[in-house]
Amino acid sequence: MSWESTQLYYQLINRMVADALGGHHSADLLLASIDFAPVAEWQHAGEWDRIADHLNARALELAAAGAEALVICTNTIHLVADRIGAGTGLPVIHVVDCVGTSIIDAGYRRVGLLGTRFTMESPTLYPERLADMGVSVVTPDEPGRADVHQVIYEELCHGRIRTESRIRYLETVSALADRGAEAVILGCTEIGLLLDESVEAPIPFLDSTRIHARAAVDFALGEQS
């Protein structure tokens, strides 16, 4: 939802298309960039119906403009993904399904999850959906969840990248590894701003932003399963 992660999607998708097609190719896409302020307020107020209606209206605009599939560029909003795109007839490329496929392909059976408090504390978004794939999910303890959430909203959504926060995140990742996590899902599209493949960690990262962007490109290039 923040433009900080929207630019990551835009950059990743265009680079992946260019890598696949070569030359001067870039992605043929439509982008609805949302004002995050009211959405963030509605999230913390628990007004999920309002969020779903607001974003579905934007999805209808994209469909009218010629979109062939919808990519919701945020993990948390997938809590109402089944209601976004209603009436468009378009498929939604679901981030958890994409991440789940990557987990299975890598052979993991127990993974950690970092994200907003809404994402980490939802029993349905990641845990139940991944359980259907034979994967269990562990999340940070209460102080850890509070810290991860605070860094996302107060720092990463504003483009603030702090070494101190990276160190705390890595400590949280280590705690998840101690509880048996074989890898950790970066289950918020802004976390990749703080943690990426250049950061040494006790277990691998599964960056939902990169995985989701790849799935969108595969769909666009006709490689979807």
Side-chain angles (χ1 to χ4, degrees):
M1 286 284 94
S2 81
W3 70 267
E4 291 288 348
S5 62
T6 301
Q7 67 176 336
L8 289 178
Y9 269 92
Y10 187 74
Q11 182 183 74
L12 287 167
I13 289 171
N14 277 291
R15 283 181 174 171
M16 289 174 183
V17 168
D19 287 344
L21 301 181
H24 294 291
H25 283 288
S26 57
D28 184 0
L29 58 82
L30 298 165
L31 173 62
S33 185
I34 309 297
D35 180 5
F36 185 44
V39 175
E41 291 176 5
W42 297 335
Q43 286 177 339
H44 288 90
E47 297 184 34
W48 295 96
D49 288 344
R50 195 168 182 180
I51 292 170
D53 291 343
H54 181 65
L55 296 182
N56 188 55
R58 302 306 297 271
L60 289 166
E61 294 172 1
L62 292 172
E68 297 175 319
L70 296 173
V71 180
I72 306 169
C73 301
T74 159
N75 282 258
T76 297
I77 300 300
H78 279 77
L79 288 165
V80 291
D82 59 332
R83 297 174 53 190
I84 298 174
T88 66
L90 300 180
V92 173
I93 301 173
H94 200 291
V95 67
V96 180
D97 293 342
C98 301
V99 171
T101 298
S102 293
I103 292 169
I104 297 301
D105 288 348
Y108 302 130
R109 286 295 179 266
R110 185 172 175 84
V111 296
L113 173 64
L114 302 181
T116 67
R117 181 181 288 277
F118 312 113
T119 294
M120 292 186 288
E121 295 182 355
S122 168
T124 57
L125 182 56
Y126 269 97
E128 291 183 10
R129 208 169 182 104
L130 292 186
D132 290 340
M133 300 180 177
V135 177
S136 63
V137 175
V138 291
T139 57
D141 58 17
E142 166 56 30
R145 294 196 303 274
D147 185 49
V148 169
H149 182 90
Q150 178 268 329
V151 168
I152 291 169
Y153 278 87
E154 296 184 17
E155 298 176 20
L156 301 182
C157 284
H158 300 288
R160 299 170 187 155
I161 311 303
R162 301 176 65 244
T163 300
E164 297 87 344
S165 298
R166 181 179 291 112
I167 291 170
R168 296 205 309 274
Y169 264 47
L170 289 172
E171 290 171 348
T172 300
V173 171
S174 294
L176 293 173
D178 290 342
R179 293 167 56 197
E182 302 166 278
V184 61
I185 301 166
L186 306 185
C188 173
T189 53
E190 282 85 14
I191 294 179
L193 296 166
L194 189 65
L195 301 178
D196 60 25
E197 63 274 4
S198 69
V199 177
E200 185 174 347
I203 51 178
F205 299 141
L206 296 162
D207 187 346
S208 64
T209 304
R210 290 182 176 275
I211 293 168
H212 203 199
R214 168 51 62 189
V217 171
D218 288 347
F219 182 95
L221 299 181
E223 300 171 6
Q224 72 277 19
S225 58

